[in-house]
Amino acid sequence: MHRVVCFECGGEVDDPFVDSCPKCGGLLTVDLDLDFASGLRPYDLRKRPLGVWRYAPFLPVDASRAVTLQEGGTPLYDCQDLRSIIGIKGVHVKYEGANPTGSFKDRGMTVGVTRAVELGCRTVGCASTGNTSASLSAYAAKAGLSCIVLLPSGKVAAGKLAQAMFYGAKVVMVDGNFDDALQVTSQLAREGVLYLLNSINPFRPEGQKTVAFEIVDQLDFEVPDRIILPVGNAGNISAVHKALTEWKALGWIDRMPKLTGVQAAGSAPIVRAFRDERMDFEPEQHPETVATAIRIGNPVSGKKALKAIYDTGGVATDVTDEEILAAQRLLGRKEGIGVEPASAASIAGLIKLVDDGVVARDERVVCICTGNVLKDPDTVMRSCEEILKAKPTVEDVRRVIA
Ligand code: AN7
């Protein structure tokens, strides 16, 4: 059984259509009663294939009615070249770009859209820097729901925009940034125009918990020392924390990895709060970065993220756009793994933290790479060498490649 409760005052919230606590305005979260797991052992779950729904007992929806595109079950790559280049004991990349719409958002969306169907909603919607809209559009199509997505004008990578259009969502470009778009979308949700499926909806992070379950499962329950991930709206790091907290409570894992959040230097409110040792953060008014996925100044789940970092002894750090693009190329050229810029922030963050002596050389680290390189071809083509040109003859091709 589960209850929706306020993350801040703990009060139970009955109305399924509110996005914050009616009493104190706090963030919502799902409180799972873990009694179901008392007779269950982690390996029992392995009867089902690796993927979000392997962990159905930990998801607060009816799995028999799941709206699914077979999300999750993504590779966990052991990156040996990266390990020696960076100079630490272990580096794994959890490659979320292998999800059905090419990002980790599918994990949350399969649960969120299943919830929307359970509630009898007809129209779903979100504000998005791109990936959430691509994912929601696909799951809404699968479920036969109408879908409205609000995007910051001119700041959404081509692949993501194409996906939202392709799956048939109503795409609205808003003349403002993500934070502006989310405010409008939330208001539309309050007016009953749409069911909000941003990560402020507590059912979204429930699905996103499964990335942490899978990492532990794929490592045969050997908990890594640290999990590093990019932070935008801060839903994912909070979900990872919740997942590990649940498994720790059951004794399925014996310790918590240090949760480490990486933001782009131009939009890093969580990093600033962490440096000042604060529990809350000041929004960044003009977020800017090449990693448009995490171009977010006022992260909705920012308080949850800070708690995740403090509780596990992790850190928050920022990286420049140059560091992000260099890490993206390194991952592609040394490991054959294609990620979008926001995802490369986790690798850039790892490199920086090892250089700064914050991450110890004997650590075993997992970096979550949240989205596929194909999401943002324009940035890739700008950051790589020029294309060679030749006449259609062997001689001329030999000449230009020499
Ligand atoms: C590739 O799609 O916010 O900290 O609207 O697309 O959970 O927000 C995307 C975020 C990291 C940050 N990596 O995750 C959206 C959106 C990629 C992303 C993040 C996003 P959160």
Side-chain angles (χ1 to χ4, degrees), residues 29-51:
T29 187
V30 172
D31 180 32
L32 273 192
D33 181 350
L34 293 174
D35 281 353
F36 70 84
S38 60
L40 201 64
R41 288 162 313 149
Y43 289 91
D44 296 337
L45 297 173
R46 291 192 174 172
K47 288 173 200 138
R48 298 186 211 211
L50 187 71

Side-chain angles (χ1 to χ4, degrees), residues 103-105 127-133 160 178 198-199 208 230-237 293-294 296 340 342-343 370-371:
S103 86
F104 73 104
K105 302 285 182 185
S128 179
T129 58
N131 279 324
T132 302
S133 70
K160 305 173 189 183
F178 168 83
N198 281 96
S199 59
Q208 286 175 208
V231 172
N233 221 8
N236 210 29
I237 191 168
I294 52 173
I296 295 174
E340 66 167 284
S343 311
T370 42

